[in-house]
Amino acid sequence: MLRICSAFVFVLVPMQVEAAEVLSGPVRVVDADTWDVGGIRVRLHGIDAPELDQTCQSDDGANWSCGVWVTDQVRELYQGEKARCRVLDRDRYGRAVARCLVDGADAGQILVARGLAFAYRKYATVYVPQEHMAVASRAGLHAGKVQAPWLFRSISKAAQPSSGCKIKGNISAKGEKIYHLPGQKFYARTRINESKGERWFCSAAAARKAGWRSARS
């Protein structure tokens, strides 16, 4: 259904590291654009990738879990590899915003060129040429219909309960009431439909009291 194109010529811009904070170490992929590098949480500069719970549409109109797929693709490329990252900023979550090289190649550039991430024009335009090539060749995500991640987050945030409660009380296809805590395996994929009796909880104790059990993973 999707294809990854790798026939691109990458023009790497030398990184001036003398006066900048530099991180290095093995990569643990949290999601496509957020890594742990040597134990430090890093947000890759200048790119934006689908969220883990984001879905896309294929050419035939079928929905598929593109956020999970993209993260799996990035893990195949970089999990356990050694990265060297130049820190450019810190974001509001305390993450190091950085450009990272793996085997001398700019990871952000490669991810955008392969259609695994978007150029995040709000913060940088350095990867726009790679995105244009990926769109033209229908590489990765561009083989179907995909919503820009920043738009997806904006819509998702508007749909969250005003109470700020984060625990998801889901009802399974078998009618079982299960609550999911942030960080659990299926939390990101679980959607709440209040018209079906599903609901948000502010604490695990409140969920249990209402008759929900904890997700097993």
Side-chain angles (χ1 to χ4, degrees):
M1 175 177 67
L2 297 174
R3 52 201 176 93
I4 303 273
C5 293
S6 58
F8 295 99
V9 177
F10 297 108
V11 179
L12 298 180
V13 178
M15 296 169 66
Q16 302 299 319
V17 299
E18 291 81 5
E21 180 184 358
V22 175
L23 305 173
S24 64
V27 172
R28 186 181 76 85
V29 175
V30 178
D31 59 31
D33 55 29
T34 304
W35 299 357
D36 286 341
V37 177
I40 303 298
R41 186 61 50 91
V42 171
R43 176 65 164 83
L44 296 179
H45 173 72
I47 72 169
D48 200 10
E51 300 296 318
L52 279 169
D53 60 341
Q54 188 168 343
T55 58
C56 301
Q57 278 192 340
S58 59
D59 275 346
D60 60 6
N63 290 325
W64 61 287
S65 300
C66 57
V68 173
W69 177 81
V70 163
T71 298
D72 288 342
Q73 294 296 310
V74 176
R75 285 198 176 109
E76 287 187 17
L77 285 170
Y78 292 119
Q79 186 84 349
E81 298 292 326
K82 185 174 181 179
R84 182 174 176 83
C85 305
R86 179 192 177 198
V87 179
L88 304 176
D89 200 358
R90 298 275 172 177
D91 68 11
R92 60 178 176 167
Y93 304 108
R95 299 176 297 187
V97 179
R99 292 184 69 179
C100 296
L101 301 182
V102 178
D103 290 332
D106 185 331
Q109 192 178 64
I110 290 174
L111 295 181
V112 174
R114 293 190 176 200
L116 300 177
F118 293 80
Y120 205 174
R121 289 168 171 81
K122 180 178 178 181
Y123 297 102
T125 58
V126 65
Y127 302 126
V128 170
Q130 285 73 36
E131 183 176 288
H132 286 163
M133 290 190 290
V135 171
S137 62
R138 293 173 56 80
L141 294 165
H142 304 293
K145 297 179 180 178
V146 56
Q147 186 178 49
W150 51 90
L151 295 178
F152 174 80
R153 288 193 297 271
S154 177
I155 293 170
S156 297
K157 184 177 180 180
Q160 290 180 358
S162 59
S163 65
C165 298
K166 301 292 186 180
I167 299 174
K168 297 179 178 180
N170 175 248
I171 300 176
S172 73
K174 296 180 180 180
E176 190 173 9
K177 295 180 176 180
I178 303 170
Y179 68 85
H180 300 261
L181 300 172
Q184 287 189 303
K185 183 175 181 181
F186 296 107
Y187 181 86
R189 303 186 194 183
T190 300
R191 298 186 181 279
I192 299 302
N193 186 341
E194 293 182 347
S195 66
K196 291 171 52 180
E198 297 174 334
R199 54 185 290 193
W200 297 85
F201 292 99
C202 295
S203 70
R208 290 192 295 269
K209 185 175 180 180
W212 265 257
R213 72 159 176 82
S214 175
R216 294 191 174 93
S217 61

